[in-house]
Coordinates of all heavy atoms in Angstrom, one line a residue:
A201 N -78.5 24.1 73.3 CA -78.3 22.8 73.9 C -79.2 22.5 75.1 O -79.4 23.4 75.9 CB -76.9 22.7 74.4
D202 N -79.9 21.4 75.1 CA -80.8 21.0 76.2 C -80.0 20.2 77.2 O -80.4 20.1 78.4 CB -81.9 20.1 75.6 CG -82.8 20.9 74.7 OD1 -83.3 22.0 75.1 OD2 -83.1 20.4 73.6
I203 N -78.9 19.6 76.8 CA -78.1 18.7 77.7 C -76.6 19.2 77.5 O -76.1 19.3 76.4 CB -78.2 17.3 77.3 CG1 -79.7 16.8 77.5 CG2 -77.3 16.4 78.2 CD1 -80.0 15.5 76.9
T204 N -75.9 19.4 78.6 CA -74.5 19.8 78.6 C -73.7 18.9 79.5 O -74.2 18.6 80.6 CB -74.4 21.3 79.1 OG1 -75.2 22.1 78.3 CG2 -72.9 21.7 78.9
V205 N -72.6 18.4 79.0 CA -71.7 17.5 79.7 C -70.3 18.2 79.8 O -69.9 18.8 78.8 CB -71.6 16.2 79.0 CG1 -70.6 15.3 79.8 CG2 -73.0 15.5 78.9
E206 N -69.7 18.1 80.9 CA -68.4 18.7 81.1 C -67.5 17.6 81.7 O -67.8 16.9 82.6 CB -68.4 19.9 82.0 CG -67.1 20.5 82.2 CD -67.1 21.8 83.0 OE1 -68.2 22.3 83.3 OE2 -66.0 22.3 83.4
K207 N -66.3 17.5 81.1 CA -65.3 16.6 81.6 C -63.9 17.3 81.4 O -63.6 17.7 80.3 CB -65.3 15.3 80.9 CG -64.3 14.3 81.5 CD -64.4 12.9 80.9 CE -63.4 12.0 81.5 NZ -63.5 10.7 81.1
E208 N -63.1 17.4 82.5 CA -61.8 18.0 82.5 C -61.8 19.3 81.8 O -60.9 19.6 81.0 CB -60.8 17.0 81.8 CG -60.7 15.7 82.6 CD -59.8 14.7 81.9 OE1 -59.2 15.0 80.9 OE2 -59.7 13.6 82.5
G209 N -62.8 20.1 82.1 CA -62.8 21.5 81.5 C -63.4 21.6 80.1 O -63.6 22.7 79.6
V210 N -63.7 20.5 79.5 CA -64.3 20.6 78.2 C -65.8 20.4 78.3 O -66.3 19.4 78.9 CB -63.7 19.5 77.3 CG1 -64.4 19.5 75.9 CG2 -62.2 19.6 77.1
R211 N -66.6 21.3 77.7 CA -68.0 21.3 77.8 C -68.6 21.0 76.4 O -68.2 21.7 75.4 CB -68.6 22.6 78.3 CG -68.3 22.8 79.7 CD -68.8 24.1 80.2 NE -70.3 24.1 80.2 CZ -71.1 25.1 80.3 NH1 -70.6 26.3 80.3 NH2 -72.4 25.0 80.3
V212 N -69.5 20.1 76.3 CA -70.2 19.8 75.0 C -71.7 19.8 75.3 O -72.2 19.2 76.3 CB -69.8 18.4 74.5 CG1 -70.5 18.0 73.2 CG2 -68.3 18.4 74.2
G213 N -72.5 20.4 74.4 CA -73.9 20.4 74.5 C -74.6 19.9 73.3 O -74.1 19.9 72.2
V214 N -75.8 19.3 73.5 CA -76.6 18.8 72.4 C -78.1 19.1 72.6 O -78.5 19.2 73.8 CB -76.5 17.3 72.2 CG1 -75.1 16.9 71.7 CG2 -76.8 16.5 73.4
C215 N -78.8 19.3 71.6 CA -80.2 19.5 71.7 C -80.9 18.2 71.9 O -80.2 17.1 71.8 CB -80.8 20.2 70.4 SG -80.6 19.2 68.9
E216 N -82.2 18.2 72.3 CA -82.9 16.9 72.6 C -82.9 16.0 71.4 O -82.7 14.8 71.5 CB -84.3 17.2 73.0 CG -85.0 15.9 73.4 CD -86.4 16.2 74.0 OE1 -86.7 17.4 74.3 OE2 -87.1 15.2 74.2
E217 N -83.1 16.5 70.2 CA -83.2 15.7 69.0 C -81.8 14.9 68.7 O -81.8 13.7 68.5 CB -83.5 16.5 67.8 CG -83.6 15.7 66.5 CD -83.9 16.6 65.3 OE1 -84.4 17.7 65.4 OE2 -83.6 16.1 64.1
H218 N -80.7 15.7 68.8 CA -79.5 15.0 68.6 C -79.0 14.1 69.7 O -78.4 13.1 69.5 CB -78.4 16.1 68.3 CG -78.5 16.6 66.9 ND1 -78.9 17.9 66.6 CD2 -78.3 16.0 65.7 CE1 -79.0 18.1 65.3 NE2 -78.6 17.0 64.7
F219 N -79.5 14.4 70.9 CA -79.2 13.5 72.1 C -79.9 12.2 71.8 O -79.3 11.1 72.0 CB -79.7 14.2 73.4 CG -79.6 13.2 74.5 CD1 -78.4 13.0 75.1 CD2 -80.7 12.6 75.0 CE1 -78.3 12.2 76.2 CE2 -80.6 11.7 76.1 CZ -79.4 11.5 76.7
R220 N -81.2 12.3 71.4 CA -81.9 11.0 71.1 C -81.3 10.2 70.0 O -81.2 9.0 70.0 CB -83.4 11.3 70.8 CG -84.1 11.8 72.0 CD -85.6 12.0 71.7 NE -86.3 12.6 72.9 CZ -86.8 11.9 73.9 NH1 -86.6 10.6 73.9 NH2 -87.4 12.5 74.9
E221 N -80.8 10.9 68.9 CA -80.2 10.2 67.8 C -78.9 9.5 68.3 O -78.7 8.4 67.9 CB -79.8 11.2 66.7 CG -81.0 11.7 65.9 CD -80.6 12.7 64.9 OE1 -79.4 13.0 64.6 OE2 -81.5 13.3 64.3
Q222 N -78.1 10.2 69.1 CA -76.9 9.6 69.6 C -77.2 8.4 70.5 O -76.5 7.4 70.4 CB -76.0 10.6 70.3 CG -75.5 11.7 69.4 CD -74.7 11.1 68.2 OE1 -73.8 10.3 68.5 NE2 -74.9 11.6 67.0
M223 N -78.2 8.5 71.3 CA -78.5 7.4 72.2 C -79.0 6.2 71.4 O -78.7 5.1 71.8 CB -79.6 7.9 73.2 CG -79.1 8.9 74.3 SD -77.6 8.3 75.1 CE -78.3 6.9 76.1
E224 N -79.8 6.4 70.3 CA -80.2 5.3 69.5 C -79.0 4.6 68.9 O -79.0 3.4 68.9 CB -81.2 5.8 68.4 CG -82.6 6.2 68.9 CD -83.4 6.7 67.8 OE1 -83.2 6.5 66.6 OE2 -84.4 7.4 68.2
E225 N -78.1 5.4 68.4 CA -76.9 4.7 67.8 C -76.1 4.0 68.9 O -75.6 2.9 68.6 CB -76.0 5.8 67.2 CG -76.6 6.4 65.9 CD -75.6 7.4 65.2 OE1 -74.4 7.3 65.4 OE2 -76.1 8.3 64.6
L226 N -76.0 4.5 70.0 CA -75.2 3.9 71.1 C -75.9 2.6 71.6 O -75.3 1.7 72.0 CB -75.0 4.9 72.3 CG -74.0 6.0 72.0 CD1 -74.0 6.9 73.2 CD2 -72.6 5.4 71.8
S227 N -77.3 2.7 71.6 CA -78.0 1.5 72.1 C -77.8 0.2 71.3 O -78.0 -0.9 71.8 CB -79.5 1.8 72.2 OG -80.1 1.9 70.9
D228 N -77.3 0.4 70.0 CA -77.0 -0.7 69.2 C -75.6 -1.2 69.4 O -75.3 -2.3 68.8 CB -77.2 -0.3 67.7 CG -78.7 0.0 67.4 OD1 -79.6 -0.5 68.1 OD2 -78.9 0.8 66.4
A229 N -74.8 -0.5 70.1 CA -73.4 -0.9 70.3 C -73.3 -2.0 71.4 O -73.9 -1.9 72.5 CB -72.6 0.3 70.7
D230 N -72.5 -3.0 71.2 CA -72.3 -4.1 72.1 C -71.5 -3.7 73.3 O -71.7 -4.2 74.4 CB -71.6 -5.3 71.5 CG -72.5 -6.0 70.4 OD1 -73.7 -5.9 70.5 OD2 -71.9 -6.6 69.5
W231 N -70.7 -2.7 73.2 CA -69.8 -2.3 74.3 C -70.6 -1.7 75.5 O -70.1 -1.5 76.6 CB -68.7 -1.4 73.9 CG -69.1 -0.1 73.3 CD1 -69.5 0.2 72.1 CD2 -69.3 1.1 74.1 NE1 -69.9 1.6 72.0 CE2 -69.8 2.1 73.2 CE3 -69.2 1.5 75.4 CZ2 -70.1 3.4 73.6 CZ3 -69.5 2.8 75.8 CH2 -69.9 3.7 74.9
L232 N -71.9 -1.3 75.2 CA -72.7 -0.7 76.3 C -73.2 -1.7 77.3 O -73.6 -1.3 78.4 CB -73.9 0.1 75.7 CG -73.5 1.4 75.1 CD1 -74.8 2.0 74.4 CD2 -73.0 2.3 76.1
D233 N -73.1 -3.0 77.0 CA -73.6 -4.0 77.9 C -72.7 -3.9 79.2 O -71.5 -4.0 79.2 CB -73.5 -5.4 77.3 CG -74.4 -5.6 76.1 OD1 -75.4 -4.8 76.0 OD2 -74.1 -6.5 75.3
G234 N -73.4 -3.6 80.3 CA -72.7 -3.6 81.6 C -72.1 -2.2 81.9 O -71.5 -2.0 82.9
L235 N -72.1 -1.3 81.0 CA -71.5 0.0 81.2 C -72.1 0.8 82.3 O -71.4 1.5 83.1 CB -71.5 0.9 79.9 CG -70.9 2.3 80.0 CD1 -69.4 2.1 80.3 CD2 -71.1 3.0 78.8
D236 N -73.4 0.6 82.5 CA -74.1 1.3 83.6 C -73.6 1.0 85.0 O -73.6 1.8 85.9 CB -75.6 1.1 83.5 CG -76.0 -0.4 83.6 OD1 -75.1 -1.2 83.3 OD2 -77.2 -0.6 83.9
E237 N -73.0 -0.2 85.1 CA -72.4 -0.6 86.4 C -71.1 0.1 86.6 O -70.7 0.3 87.8 CB -72.2 -2.1 86.4 CG -73.5 -2.9 86.3 CD -73.2 -4.4 86.1 OE1 -72.1 -4.8 86.2 OE2 -74.2 -5.1 85.9
E238 N -70.4 0.5 85.6 CA -69.1 1.2 85.7 C -69.3 2.7 85.9 O -68.3 3.3 86.4 CB -68.3 0.9 84.4 CG -67.9 -0.5 84.2 CD -67.1 -0.7 83.0 OE1 -66.3 0.2 82.6 OE2 -67.2 -1.8 82.4
L239 N -70.4 3.2 85.5 CA -70.6 4.7 85.6 C -71.1 5.1 87.0 O -71.9 4.4 87.6 CB -71.6 5.2 84.5 CG -71.2 5.0 83.1 CD1 -72.3 5.4 82.2 CD2 -69.9 5.7 82.8
D240 N -70.7 6.2 87.4 CA -71.2 6.8 88.7 C -72.2 7.8 88.4 O -71.9 9.0 88.1 CB -70.0 7.4 89.5 CG -70.4 7.9 90.8 OD1 -71.5 7.5 91.3 OD2 -69.7 8.8 91.3
I241 N -73.5 7.4 88.3 CA -74.6 8.3 87.9 C -75.5 8.4 89.0 O -76.0 7.4 89.7 CB -75.3 7.7 86.7 CG1 -74.4 7.5 85.5 CG2 -76.5 8.6 86.3 CD1 -75.0 6.9 84.3
D242 N -75.9 9.7 89.3 CA -76.9 10.0 90.4 C -78.2 9.8 89.7 O -78.5 10.5 88.7 CB -76.7 11.4 90.9 CG -75.4 11.5 91.7 OD1 -75.0 10.5 92.3 OD2 -74.9 12.7 91.8
R243 N -79.1 9.0 90.3 CA -80.4 8.8 89.7 C -81.4 9.2 90.8 O -81.3 8.8 92.0 CB -80.6 7.3 89.3 CG -79.7 6.9 88.2 CD -80.1 5.6 87.7 NE -79.2 5.2 86.6 CZ -78.7 4.0 86.4 NH1 -79.0 3.1 87.2 NH2 -78.0 3.8 85.3
S244 N -82.5 9.9 90.4 CA -83.5 10.2 91.3 C -84.5 9.1 91.3 O -84.8 8.4 90.3 CB -84.2 11.5 90.9 OG -84.7 11.4 89.6
E245 N -85.0 8.8 92.5 CA -86.0 7.7 92.6 C -87.4 8.2 92.7 O -87.7 9.2 93.0 CB -85.7 6.9 93.9 CG -84.3 6.3 93.8 CD -84.0 5.5 95.1 OE1 -84.9 5.1 95.8 OE2 -82.8 5.2 95.3

């Protein structure tokens, strides 16, 4: 796994290829509009 996410003690990892595939599928979903405003994400500038 290149990327690992943990929430409430549950850890899930994905390789870069599958991460990109999942992001492509999610980018087509309408519910993502405005989601970035709801998430608390640390971004480097």
Side-chain angles (χ1 to χ4, degrees):
D202 295 308
I203 299 165
T204 305
V205 177
E206 181 175 348
K207 182 174 181 178
E208 297 179 3
V210 177
R211 292 179 68 198
V212 177
V214 291
C215 65
E216 183 176 350
E217 179 181 340
H218 285 112
F219 175 76
R220 290 183 185 277
E221 286 178 9
Q222 293 301 312
M223 291 306 293
E224 285 178 22
E225 287 183 30
L226 289 172
S227 69
D228 295 334
D230 292 336
W231 65 271
L232 281 176
D233 295 338
L235 181 64
D236 57 341
E237 296 172 6
E238 295 178 34
L239 296 177
D240 181 20
I241 298 175
D242 293 331
R243 295 187 177 141
S244 58
E245 294 181 21

